[in-house]
């Protein structure tokens, strides 16, 4: 991925030509380079060829819908994806579907808002690269499966270690329960997403012994968890 915002390449997937042009203009004003596609079938091959830094992905598209594209992208790429959709009610549904998008914007949106979201994602990526204070609060030793919280070694089970380490790796990123389950169990044992809740509860208990004021694990109702330090 390119380092400066100026050279970031953004793919706009939007079948409404006016809207696509509007986004393109605003992105250009903010110094981004963008390309546009209007058919869902073209997205995967284009991404494999061109390796964009971020994708603005419309939900309703001819050829292949945004949900399917998002799922297919996640099989080979971690490129940030912002989904755009016409209905507010859809956002909750989309989040529930665990497609792996990084953010969602509702139509009609102001292009300014979209640009702000795009910049926020790039900032998040940058700050996780350069450190953002998380490492002052948490220290992870992956080899020994140990995590220190505020300088104190936590007594974690293997599952709790994997769960917390996953959250720490990408602070600020919202993980669904299913995504967390994928991370913590290597085998395909039968567990429910509520399992995640009970592990989180145990981790919180262990953290609160060290610092009662600071609960870095944030629950997002109906969706999942994220770490905020
Ligand atoms: Ca559309």
């Amino acid at each position: 991925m390119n380092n400066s915002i100026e050279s970031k390449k953004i793919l706009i997937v939007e079948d409404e030509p006016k809207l696509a042009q509007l986004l393109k203009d605003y992105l250009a004003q903010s110094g981004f380079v963008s390309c546009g596609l209007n058919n869902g079938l073209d997205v995967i091959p284009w991404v494999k060829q061109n390796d964009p830094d971020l994708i603005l992905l419309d939900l309703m598209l001819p050829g292949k819908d945004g949900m399917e594209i998002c799922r297919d992208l996640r099989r080979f790429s971690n490129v940030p994806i912002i989904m755009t959709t016409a209905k507010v009610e859809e956002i909750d549904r989309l989040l529930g579907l665990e497609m792996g998008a990084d953010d969602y914007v509702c139509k009609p949106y102001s292009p300014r808002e979209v640009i702000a979201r795009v910049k926020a994602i790039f900032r998040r990526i940058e700050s996780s690269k350069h450190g953002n204070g998380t490492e002052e609060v948490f220290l992870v030793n992956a080899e020994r499966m140990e995590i220190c919280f505020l300088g104190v070694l936590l007594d974690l089970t293997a599952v709790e270690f994997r769960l917390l380490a996953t959250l720490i790796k990408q602070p600020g990123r919202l993980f669904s329960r299913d995504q967390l389950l994928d991370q913590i169990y290597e085998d395909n044992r039968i567990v429910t997403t509520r399992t995640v809740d009970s592990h989180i509860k145990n981790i919180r208990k262990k953290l609160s012994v060290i610092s009662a004021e600071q609960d870095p694990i944030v629950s997002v109702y109906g969706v999942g968890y994220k770490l905020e330090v």
Side-chain angles (χ1 to χ4, degrees):
M1 187 173 291
N2 302 317
N3 283 323
S4 63
I5 272 191
E6 289 71 31
S7 54
K8 298 271 191 229
K9 186 165 64 186
I10 296 175
L11 171 63
I12 303 164
V13 187
E14 174 57 66
D15 59 325
E16 220 173 290
K18 275 186 187 165
L19 192 50
Q21 188 57 50
L22 192 66
L23 283 174
K24 200 172 169 48
D25 292 346
Y26 269 82
L27 285 166
Q29 275 173 33
S30 300
F32 295 104
V33 178
S34 65
C35 296
L37 293 176
N38 55 29
N39 189 301
L41 289 171
D42 300 331
V43 179
I44 299 293
W46 194 94
V47 171
K48 284 185 171 164
Q49 268 297 252
N50 296 278
D51 193 25
D53 293 303
L54 187 143
I55 302 175
L56 287 168
L57 182 59
D58 185 22
L59 182 64
M60 302 296 279
L61 289 163
K64 192 175 184 181
D65 75 30
M67 268 193 242
E68 214 183 325
I69 294 168
C70 194
R71 263 190 233 112
D72 290 348
L73 281 167
R74 281 294 172 255
R75 298 209 173 100
F76 68 94
S77 168
N78 281 322
V79 60
I81 300 168
I82 300 179
M83 296 281 287
T84 59
T85 169
K87 281 185 185 148
V88 188
E89 310 89 74
E90 270 177 352
I91 298 271
D92 285 340
R93 201 168 65 85
L94 290 172
L95 279 168
L97 287 172
E98 331 294 356
M99 291 173 308
D102 295 77
D103 204 354
Y104 302 84
V105 185
C106 260
K107 290 178 178 179
Y109 49 68
S110 80
R112 254 176 245 282
E113 185 194 349
V114 177
I115 305 295
R117 302 282 189 100
V118 168
K119 286 182 175 168
I121 286 186
F122 285 133
R123 266 201 309 272
R124 200 159 84 200
I125 292 168
E126 274 308 302
S127 71
S128 69
K129 255 193 260 169
H130 298 307
N132 48 11
T134 311
E135 71 282 355
E136 284 156 34
V137 179
F138 288 102
L139 251 178
V140 180
N141 185 329
E143 266 167 39
R144 300 173 66 165
M145 293 187 77
E146 287 176 355
I147 298 175
C148 286
F149 176 53
L150 299 169
V152 183
L153 182 64
L154 292 165
D155 180 22
L156 301 171
T157 65
V159 165
E160 288 164 5
F161 169 83
R162 281 199 283 272
L163 190 52
L164 186 55
T166 299
L167 294 171
I168 293 170
K169 220 188 240 172
Q170 286 175 281
R173 175 175 165 190
L174 176 58
F175 288 91
S176 69
R177 290 181 176 81
D178 280 327
Q179 285 166 342
L180 290 170
L181 272 181
D182 284 348
Q183 298 289 329
I184 60 181
Y185 291 110
E186 279 145 0
D187 50 358
N188 291 321
R189 72 176 82 180
I190 308 297
V191 282
T192 70
T193 49
R194 293 294 145 201
T195 311
V196 173
D197 296 339
S198 72
H199 289 306
I200 291 278
K201 203 173 144 197
N202 290 336
I203 294 171
R204 276 187 168 139
K205 223 183 275 168
K206 292 173 182 181
L207 295 175
S208 70
V209 173
I210 297 164
S211 168
E213 308 88 61
Q214 203 172 357
D215 182 4
I217 301 174
V218 178
S219 317
V220 179
Y221 184 74
V223 185
Y225 296 98
K226 63 179 172 179
L227 191 89
E228 265 173 17
V229 177

